[in-house]
Amino acid sequence: MSRILRLLPILVLLVALESPAATFVVDTTSDSALGACSAAIAEDCSLRGAIAAANLTPAADIINFAIPQSDAGFQAATAHWRFAPATELPFISNPLTIDGFTQTGAAPSSHLPLAPIGHVLKIELRGASMSNFNCLLAGGSLTLRGLAINNCNQAIFLFDSGIHVIEGNYLGTDITGTSTVANRVGVALGGDVRIGGLLPAQANLISGNRLGALVQFRSVTRLLVQGNTIGPNRLLTAAQGLQDNGISLLGPYTDVVIGGTVAAAANLIGGNTFNAISISDQPRGAPGAPLVRIVGNVIGLGTGGIPLGNGLNQGSGQTVPSIQVSLLGNCRVAIGGDGAGEGNIIAHGGNAAVAINACWGAPILGNAFLANRRQPIDLATTNGFDGPTANDAGDFDGTGTDPFAVSAGNRLQNTAEVETVIENAGNNQLRIALRVDSAPTAATYPLRIDFHATDEFGVQASLSTQPYALADAQALREYILPLNSFRRGIGITVTDAEGNTGEMLLIGTIFVDGFEDVAAGHE
């Protein structure tokens, strides 16, 4: 055989790999496998057929829409087109972009951050059954924008082999984003995924989904969630149906950012029956940089500060925390931070704002807590969230040679013990003498003391950070703060150098749930 003949299979493969990307223009809502997609022939390109045709080429293909009003799937009352497949659409195996904004009349929103999303959508994908019908499944990289997807088991199921972008969609509502048409899950997470983005056109409305908005079912290598509305209705005035959880991370994952440090990155998460964010995984070994960062989000508030708390679990009486971390070993989860824009607002939660269960190394810094029904921070063991944890002598209750047996959230870091609080109005000073009873063998020094200003509306807002060095260990130390920074009281947290933030000590009479005064105490 000549050398040329031997090279022919390789040349054919190279030509196939270098074939240009195709653009398929869907012009019918028919459920038939129409994949010819010729510009000169009407009604020859269905969504089912276009996906099947795109799967035949390795290039990054595009599906656009140009469906006439004469189509049988046109919904005259809302002037949009509905796809209602009888069986699941083909599994997406190669890179593909599906762009619903290309349909005539569709337009992305230009809303401001944390304001009502105003996408005008014209393409709706309605599943045959919420119990066992997955609407879109993608192993190849999927970019999806400009669709309303509802009445599915998983609206979008992303496998861990792809790089996926989900932006500008309504998941769990009708085409207008105002009526619930539930999915079981909005997005089943897997792979390298971006949900939303920094531009108004990229924001998703993911609300009304029964099990949750974003639920991890496959391995996640990278997840970026920014600029979305998760739980509320489109106008941010109430919950959109009964969505159990906002974001559920079940592991394994390696690089997750929920929110960001600029206003456009903030997710608005509210009205979820259970957790706004729930994080769990298998036991982790050595400590390291956070694998999950929750920064700059607004959790539990809607338009004009309307309460949209999470975890209220209406009807059952059993409330849950807004953010719940339930792991073993090193948490490697950071909630807020010291940098500009890293703090979250966590408001009107049915239980604690943040609860850490059975893992350690979860710093909770720079956040503002508002009118949560229970304490701002709850540390617990595997026995569950149990309210305020009493200090123990030397702070040894969260240490041991077998940390998995101890199973103590943030090592049950002791909070501050305040000896005196002295007002000096003449010098505009508040002098606080306190000690932290954490032995150097029970906590990683240096510690840091964070002071929070509280007001009559129940806000505990981060104010000042002060050191508590190894030389200060278990000793009384005085701190001086500006008196005019406090309106109703002071909140104090202690965090060790390993990132273990303790529960908050509240001094003064404050509003806890916005409706009643409670005595000051250790929370």
Side-chain angles (χ1 to χ4, degrees), residues 5 190 312 509:
L5 289 176
L312 297 173
T509 302

Short mmCIF file of all heavy atoms in Angstrom, two decimals, residues 5 190 312 509:
data_model
loop_
_atom_site.label_atom_id
_atom_site.label_comp_id
_atom_site.label_asym_id
_atom_site.label_seq_id
_atom_site.Cartn_x
_atom_site.Cartn_y
_atom_site.Cartn_z
N LEU A 5 -2.03 6.25 0.38
CA LEU A 5 -3.21 5.50 0.78
C LEU A 5 -3.25 5.31 2.29
O LEU A 5 -4.31 5.32 2.91
CB LEU A 5 -3.26 4.16 0.06
CG LEU A 5 -3.56 4.23 -1.44
CD1 LEU A 5 -3.48 2.84 -2.04
CD2 LEU A 5 -4.93 4.83 -1.69
N GLY A 190 -23.32 19.83 36.64
CA GLY A 190 -22.19 18.96 36.41
C GLY A 190 -21.25 19.60 35.42
O GLY A 190 -21.67 20.33 34.52
N LEU A 312 -38.31 29.09 55.83
CA LEU A 312 -39.50 29.22 56.67
C LEU A 312 -40.32 27.94 56.70
O LEU A 312 -41.07 27.70 57.64
CB LEU A 312 -40.36 30.38 56.18
CG LEU A 312 -39.69 31.76 56.25
CD1 LEU A 312 -40.56 32.81 55.59
CD2 LEU A 312 -39.40 32.14 57.69
N THR A 509 -30.34 45.27 73.93
CA THR A 509 -31.65 44.78 73.51
C THR A 509 -31.78 45.00 72.02
O THR A 509 -31.59 46.10 71.52
CB THR A 509 -32.77 45.54 74.24
OG1 THR A 509 -32.58 45.35 75.63
CG2 THR A 509 -34.14 45.01 73.83
#
